Amino acid sequence: MKKLFLFFIGMVSALNVVAQQRTDAMLFGDVKSAVTGEHIPFAVISVKGTKLQTVADNTGHFKLAHLPLGKQKVVASLMGYKEQELTVDMRQGKATEAYFKLEEDILDLSQVVVTGTRTKHFVKNVPIRTEVVTSQALDVKNAKNMFEALEGVPGIRVEQQCQFCNFSMVRMQGLGAEHTQVLVDGEPIYSGLAGVYGLQQMGTNDVDRLEVVKGAGSALYGSSAVAGAINIISKEPTYEPMVKADWQMGNWGYKNYSASASMRKNNMGLSIFAQRNESDAVDETQDGMTRKEVKNKDGVSDRVESKNTNVGVSLYLYNPFANNDKLVIRGKALDEQRMGGTLTNDKFQNPFTEGTENIRTNRLSADFAYTLPIGRNSELNASVAYVHHVRNATNDTFLGSYKETHDDNTPNVEDMRPYIAKENTFTPSLTFSSKWGSHALLIGAQGYFTKLRETGLYCITDKDSKYYGNAYSSLGKKHANEFGAFIQDEWNILPNLTAVPGLRVDVHKSGEAYESDKKVFDGTFPETKFNETSVNPRLALKYEVSPSFVVRANVGTGFRAPYGFSEDLHLCSGSPRVWKSSSLKAEKSMSYNLSADYYGSNFQLSANIFRTNLKNKIEFGEASDDVKKLGYTYQWENVSDAYVQGIELGAKLNPFKRFTVGLNWTFNQGKYDKVRGDWEGKQYAEDSKNVSRFPAMTGDWTLEYTPGSWTFSVTGSLQGRMYIDYLSEESANSKIKKTNTFTLWNCRVAKSINNAFTLYAGAKNIFSYIQDEKHTDDAAFMYAPVYGATWYAGVSVKI
């Protein structure tokens, strides 16, 4: 294998040498600030239409060899500055000079993004509309995990769905987590098991930016990208050695410690990071039908107690095998302990008592990425990622079932066992891109292979079963193998018109099987198998009406394979508690997006109209009578077709120096074609046709003022009316609630001292808004905060 790898590298390197034409046309120059006239270090200098680029040194000077002959467009770019393009006339054997003067980029349009097309573009020029959350924006929001990072992003809603364990979910344009592909550095390693608590577990200390692409993502990223993709981009090593540390504390036992270091020397870059987050359990609310009733303690946690640690290291090797190639090796580890439930007398700290949940998560990941430029116009990218994810969890499900069937007696403590899930995921990918005249061709292949093993204790509670009261241990075996191949062409039809047709073919195979240590019903647990081949085309258009006004359109299909549902894993279903019939159909989708962006000198206006039609929408519910006879409690089923649609409006402006304002507003609608099965013939039948947890209107705003070394910011969000199910233990009390509109407000102030120290403080939900109705017999009945304001203060040091 090693010899084969070296042979491959040698052949590709030889191809690179042959393809690289040596013209002896040299470019020299420097990069300065248009305001101060001082040199700017580490700007990226690239030749438009080729893969040639270099980086200015720490004095702001650069040189670039063997440019194509004739007139060439050369671009200088650096985050925080507007890109500048110069035309130079390159001649063989001669040197040419180019001097750049960059202006500040107050609207963050200098960001380079990759998610929309898997190729690099400035966010202003990308053919497929891409939204970026920068690391600076994460600081303003004091976002220490991915859940907080995604709050307030237009068209995205993050929510908690369990009052006891704080199971979290991300929704994009009304569609759930199973329709949104979360990527880490372009790889789909955010698995179903990670999707239960991962948003709150994944820290932001190593995050450079988040890229959000909405609608029709399956043509590039396969299953689960029906609503779009969220790509978490890691930081690269800095050109100058840097060490940064941050310490933060707040109310309710909140503490956050983080540290990172980064450097580049010669052809090697290294970065390391560590982050530790601690918070106490919070009890602020109780069951009630009004806010006044709800706003009292009941001895049950509203927020879990948690201790979470993230560590990682990244090694970057530049020119390891050939000229301008790059090898990246990353390793990350995560460890979290969360405990919730009955707080009285610290009962929640005993994992085997009623009314408690105790969950331990360990996650190890490693990935390798190799980039090789081939000649001036082509590039090969190969990557592979591996994740080992383990969850050890206890709740009172088995204890409650056992007591119910044994006259309130408890099981022998020596027989008690936690639910344990172990998941291994492997994701290789290979892409080749090449520019040919007005075309930029991309072809690639990607695999996704995962195995999951679950074990747990369960008890038969069906009184009609002759096995009533039998306790048993079960083993669940789940797997999915998915392979996709895709092709895409970025065709610059005219200087101001670009078309991006694409196509991806995926072959999906998955299955589930269960075993028990004793007989618990007459028969054997039926295995489920899914085989699905899906072809998903996409077409995107970008038309520049003027240099300041850009219109984009995007249409494509998508699919969602019936595997890896987060609700199964939230329920710790190592037993066949959740039925998925082999006849369950994959969801199919058709998505449409039409957007317009206007870029002024100190403002940006945007509008985006979207619609997604879903066929064979899959929903979670109680098992039918026939399914219960097979030993299952819940089931997934295709309920009906559905659609979501809306319009997103945005504005960002800089009315005067050092002051920026951002405003986003979205109007939404989502409907099922039919009444959902659980509500047929009931009072709320018509309401059930509305897509749950999809607000009719959302908004978010940011005001930031940075006079001198101070930063003052106010952020907020609005959530409009939406429908949410309340599934009571007493079925007669179940209903669909239409929530009220509310707003949440946050603030932050920071003071920088000599660009080395920063003191800061802030608060979230400063007016202590909480939801106006609560029922603990349905842990998922959450639609607003369930505890009041949180405040924090901290200091960061940068050397």
Side-chain angles (χ1 to χ4, degrees), residues 274-513:
Q275 181 176 346
R276 170 78 170 181
N277 183 288
E278 299 178 5
S279 58
D280 291 344
V282 175
D283 172 25
E284 288 287 299
T285 57
Q286 66 174 10
D287 284 8
M289 296 298 295
T290 66
R291 186 170 289 106
K292 184 177 180 181
E293 293 176 358
V294 170
K295 202 170 184 179
N296 293 281
K297 299 181 180 181
D298 62 358
V300 179
S301 63
D302 299 315
R303 185 184 77 181
V304 297
E305 176 181 303
S306 68
K307 295 178 175 63
N308 183 29
T309 302
N310 283 262
V311 296
V313 59
S314 299
L315 176 65
Y316 285 67
L317 300 176
Y318 304 94
N319 309 313
F321 306 111
N323 189 34
N324 293 325
D325 67 339
K326 180 171 72 172
L327 177 65
V328 181
I329 304 171
R330 300 186 188 92
K332 298 180 182 180
L334 178 155
D335 178 85
E336 190 213 42
Q337 178 82 36
R338 61 174 59 198
M339 298 182 291
T342 304
L343 303 182
T344 306
N345 297 323
D346 292 329
K347 188 177 180 181
F348 74 108
Q349 295 193 26
N350 183 344
F352 294 111
T353 56
E354 283 190 285
T356 65
E357 292 209 33
N358 192 307
I359 301 158
R360 184 67 175 264
T361 300
N362 298 107
R363 177 183 172 93
L364 299 174
S365 66
D367 65 279
F368 302 81
Y370 180 65
T371 301
L372 176 69
I374 300 175
R376 295 175 184 155
N377 303 314
S378 303
E379 186 174 272
L380 181 72
N381 288 275
S383 65
V384 60
Y386 170 76
V387 176
H388 178 65
H389 194 112
V390 179
R391 190 204 303 168
N392 182 315
T394 58
N395 57 36
D396 63 358
T397 301
F398 172 72
L399 179 62
S401 297
Y402 190 93
K403 292 177 69 175
E404 177 188 339
T405 57
H406 290 79
D407 299 324
D408 211 33
N409 292 314
T410 60
N412 187 334
V413 67
E414 293 186 359
D415 294 332
M416 300 290 281
R417 296 288 185 276
Y419 160 86
I420 298 176
K422 296 181 179 180
E423 183 180 51
N424 292 285
T425 304
F426 179 67
T427 55
S429 66
L430 180 69
T431 62
F432 175 78
S433 59
S434 185
K435 295 183 178 180
W436 298 92
S438 60
H439 295 267
L441 184 67
L442 173 75
I443 58 174
Q446 185 176 58
Y448 177 78
F449 309 100
T450 183
K451 286 186 177 182
L452 176 66
R453 296 292 182 267
E454 304 171 283
T455 61
L457 286 177
Y458 303 91
C459 190
I460 301 299
T461 58
D462 182 2
K463 292 182 179 180
D464 294 330
S465 172
K466 65 181 181 181
Y467 302 99
Y468 175 75
N470 281 10
Y472 68 98
S473 175
S474 74
L475 169 66
K477 299 178 180 179
K478 304 178 181 180
H479 74 275
N481 298 318
E482 193 168 287
F483 178 80
F486 52 89
I487 184 169
Q488 173 186 272
D489 179 29
E490 293 183 47
W491 180 20
N492 294 314
I493 302 171
L494 298 171
N496 62 340
L497 177 61
T498 302
V500 187
L503 179 73
R504 175 163 171 151
V505 179
D506 282 277
V507 177
H508 171 93
K509 294 183 178 181
S510 62
E512 300 183 7

Side-chain angles (χ1 to χ4, degrees), residues 713-715 743-748 762-769 788-792:
S713 63
V714 175
T715 62
T743 61
L744 302 176
W745 294 81
N746 318 300
C747 62
R748 187 177 189 269
K764 299 182 179 183
N765 189 16
I766 57 179
F767 298 114
S768 293
Y769 183 89
T790 58
W791 61 264
Y792 59 89

Side-chain angles (χ1 to χ4, degrees), residues 70-90:
K71 290 188 176 181
Q72 304 295 329
K73 293 181 179 180
V74 183
V75 180
S77 61
L78 183 65
M79 194 170 76
Y81 294 88
K82 295 179 181 179
E83 63 176 282
Q84 185 182 8
E85 182 180 297
L86 298 177
T87 300
V88 295
D89 189 7
M90 304 305 301

Side-chain angles (χ1 to χ4, degrees), residues 115-117 126-130 173 212-220 225-229 488 498-502 537-543 551-557 590-596 608-612:
T115 309
T117 61
V126 65
I128 296 173
R129 193 167 187 268
T130 304
Q173 295 183 335
V212 179
V213 177
K214 301 169 188 171
S218 289
L220 273 185
V226 168
Q488 173 186 272
T498 302
V500 187
R538 179 178 72 171
L539 176 64
L541 298 172
K542 186 193 79 166
Y543 179 63
V551 178
R552 298 176 177 89
N554 182 14
V555 59
T557 64
M590 175 68 78
S591 296
Y592 311 86
N593 283 77
L594 176 64
S595 66
N608 178 44
I609 300 172
F610 68 88
R611 180 180 173 101
T612 297

Side-chain angles (χ1 to χ4, degrees), residues 21-259:
Q21 298 180 19
R22 303 181 67 85
T23 63
D24 289 327
M26 309 291 289
L27 184 68
F28 297 87
D30 63 17
V31 183
K32 292 182 179 180
S33 166
V35 177
T36 66
E38 297 179 354
H39 281 97
I40 303 173
F42 310 127
V44 177
I45 314 300
S46 57
V47 182
K48 206 167 184 179
T50 76
K51 298 289 185 179
L52 294 176
Q53 71 173 36
T54 189
V55 177
D57 62 22
N58 58 0
T59 69
H61 293 81
F62 67 88
K63 62 180 180 179
L64 190 58
H66 306 299
L67 274 72
L69 302 180
K71 290 188 176 181
Q72 304 295 329
K73 293 181 179 180
V74 183
V75 180
S77 61
L78 183 65
M79 194 170 76
Y81 294 88
K82 295 179 181 179
E83 63 176 282
Q84 185 182 8
E85 182 180 297
L86 298 177
T87 300
V88 295
D89 189 7
M90 304 305 301
R91 299 185 179 182
Q92 189 167 13
K94 292 189 176 181
T96 302
E97 297 177 344
Y99 301 100
F100 293 93
K101 294 183 179 180
L102 303 186
E103 300 177 358
E104 288 188 28
D105 176 24
I106 57 176
L107 300 179
D108 291 328
L109 300 180
S110 62
Q111 286 283 338
V112 176
V113 295
V114 297
T115 309
T117 61
R118 285 185 180 262
T119 54
K120 292 182 179 179
H121 290 276
F122 292 110
V123 68
K124 180 180 177 181
N125 302 327
V126 65
I128 296 173
R129 193 167 187 268
T130 304
E131 295 164 80
V132 179
V133 181
T134 65
S135 56
Q136 292 87 347
L138 298 181
D139 288 339
V140 170
K141 295 197 290 185
N142 197 52
K144 298 302 181 182
N145 57 52
M146 295 311 303
F147 184 94
E148 296 171 339
L150 291 170
E151 288 182 314
V153 176
I156 289 181
R157 183 173 180 267
V158 286
E159 62 188 33
Q160 291 188 0
Q161 290 204 322
C162 181
Q163 299 177 38
F164 299 108
C165 69
N166 295 170
F167 161 41
S168 58
M169 179 179 287
V170 58
R171 294 180 182 271
M172 183 180 290
Q173 295 183 335
L175 300 178
E178 65 273 11
H179 301 106
T180 303
Q181 184 68 273
V182 178
L183 309 165
V184 180
D185 294 309
E187 296 301 322
I189 60 175
Y190 187 81
S191 62
L193 193 59
V196 181
Y197 305 110
L199 290 177
Q200 297 162 320
Q201 293 172 336
M202 297 176 66
T204 58
N205 196 24
D206 188 44
V207 175
D208 177 67
R209 66 187 186 277
L210 305 179
E211 297 182 9
V212 179
V213 177
K214 301 169 188 171
S218 289
L220 273 185
Y221 295 106
S223 178
S224 302
V226 168
I230 300 169
N231 196 1
I232 304 167
I233 308 295
S234 302
K235 293 178 179 177
E236 288 202 22
T238 55
Y239 286 97
E240 291 185 328
M242 183 272 293
V243 176
K244 185 176 181 180
D246 183 272
W247 174 80
Q248 185 178 128
M249 63 170 291
N251 58 338
W252 287 319
Y254 173 76
K255 302 179 188 68
N256 187 85
Y257 318 90
S258 63

